[in-house]
Amino acid sequence: MVDTEAAPLLISHQPAPAKAPSIDDVVETYIGDTSAMQLLRAALVAFAWAFDAQQVFISVFTDAEPPWHCTSTHCSPSAASPCALPRGMWAWDRPPETSVVSDWGLLVR
């Protein structure tokens, strides 16, 4: 028979496992509380991203090939591109400054 007075000695009294820290706790531990310095850092990072976005999206405006049209009656309007036509038989629909392609006359031949 088990002695009832000895039973409490057999039960180990271990502390409850620690609760895992939340993401907010980790951020506050390593970065600190929200302050003016933290807001300044966030603003500087956002400012840098604005310049990065310009580099990413500049190709949308510079590499676009604007529409063109035939200027001669001998030109076939069904031509897929102006590359196969002589330069005087077609023209850009928009001003040449619209795109780098039209401004510099970049055509694949």
Side-chain angles (χ1 to χ4, degrees), residues 94-109:
R94 297 184 183 146
E97 298 82 24
T98 304
S99 171
V100 172
V101 173
S102 61
D103 193 17
W104 294 351
L106 303 176
L107 296 175
V108 179
R109 293 197 183 250

Side-chain angles (χ1 to χ4, degrees), residues 9-84:
L9 295 175
L10 297 175
I11 300 174
S12 63
H13 293 285
Q14 295 179 357
K19 181 182 167 189
S22 68
I23 292 177
D24 293 336
D25 295 336
V26 173
V27 167
E28 285 184 10
T29 300
Y30 290 102
I31 297 177
D33 293 333
T34 304
S35 64
M37 189 61 162
Q38 203 174 41
L39 293 175
L40 177 64
R41 288 179 188 154
L44 290 174
V45 168
F47 185 67
W49 283 347
F51 289 110
D52 190 34
Q54 286 179 351
Q55 292 299 316
V56 170
F57 290 116
I58 197 165
S59 64
V60 172
F61 301 105
T62 60
D63 296 344
E65 185 175 338
W68 59 278
H69 64 275
C70 290
T71 57
S72 172
T73 56
H74 302 294
C75 177
S76 172
S78 63
S81 76
C83 297

